[in-house]
Amino acid sequence: LQDQEVREGLKEYSNWKTFPQLYIGGELVGGLDIMKEMEEDGSLVEAIQSAAGGEEDAGDINTRLKGLINKADVMLFMKGNKEEPHCGFSKKAVAMLQEHKIEFDTFDILGDEDVRQGLKEYSNWKTFPQLYIKGELIGGLDIMQEMADDGSLQEAVPDTARKT
């Protein structure tokens, strides 16, 4: 990593101050010492194989959800996508993020029932859209609106997700 800004951002994001940093399924596993320990006890290959796929059980769907949630700094799970929202709530959520000049990615829950149902359980939030910032559930449209009104939405968004 030659880009100093990226290096510092990773250190802050992961709360791990050294490199290398191993991520499996979007989750920090650790540094070189942890990788060596895992290699010695055989759990490194196991973790990599588990993240690589296979049939989805409850653990696998949660791993997949973590990966999707962490796909972008700001991730919106919605009906449709930002170009074509399929419900009024999703349309309002997209408009709000765009109005606040927030870069975000979306996932269309209508196209994947496993993700749609799994995310409800994983997040303990039963409705959509669902907004995640830096891997953390913020909430639905009502929470987004409250945060936009009091200014905390912009504060929660990392600099890397702010359009200039």
Side-chain angles (χ1 to χ4, degrees):
L1 293 170
Q2 295 178 354
D3 187 321
Q4 192 62 28
E5 189 176 339
V6 171
R7 287 178 64 88
E8 294 306 314
L10 270 173
K11 288 178 183 179
E12 183 180 329
Y13 171 77
S14 65
N15 197 25
W16 194 274
K17 303 304 176 199
T18 60
F19 291 97
Q21 295 179 1
L22 176 65
Y23 291 81
I24 298 177
E27 293 290 317
L28 176 67
V29 173
L32 188 58
D33 54 340
I34 304 290
M35 287 186 268
K36 286 181 179 179
E37 288 175 17
M38 290 177 73
E39 182 180 36
E40 288 172 11
D41 68 16
S43 62
L44 181 62
V45 170
E46 196 175 282
I48 292 169
Q49 287 174 338
S50 174
E55 293 186 27
E56 287 189 349
D57 61 17
D60 289 337
I61 188 65
N62 286 343
T63 300
R64 183 169 173 224
L65 292 172
K66 283 180 189 175
L68 289 169
I69 288 166
N70 288 286
K71 182 179 170 191
D73 283 343
V74 179
M75 193 70 192
L76 184 66
F77 290 82
M78 60 179 283
K79 295 176 181 175
N81 57 50
K82 64 174 97 173
E83 291 80 24
E84 193 175 335
H86 288 296
C87 81
F89 295 111
S90 292
K91 186 175 185 176
K92 288 178 183 176
V94 167
M96 185 183 309
L97 294 172
Q98 289 174 336
E99 177 183 322
H100 285 86
K101 296 182 174 31
I102 297 171
E103 289 196 29
F104 64 101
D105 202 348
T106 61
F107 185 90
D108 182 0
I109 56 142
L110 297 176
D112 192 320
E113 191 64 21
D114 289 338
V115 170
R116 182 180 187 172
Q117 296 306 322
L119 199 58
K120 289 178 183 182
E121 295 302 315
Y122 179 86
S123 66
N124 197 26
W125 196 274
K126 304 301 180 203
T127 60
F128 292 95
Q130 292 183 13
L131 180 68
Y132 289 79
I133 298 178
K134 301 285 284 181
E136 297 293 322
L137 174 66
I138 299 303
L141 183 61
D142 53 344
I143 304 294
M144 291 172 64
Q145 187 62 60
E146 288 175 20
M147 291 178 72
D149 291 346
D150 70 15
S152 60
L153 181 62
Q154 276 294 96
E155 292 170 10
V157 174
D159 291 341
T160 55
R162 293 184 184 149
K163 294 179 184 177
T164 53

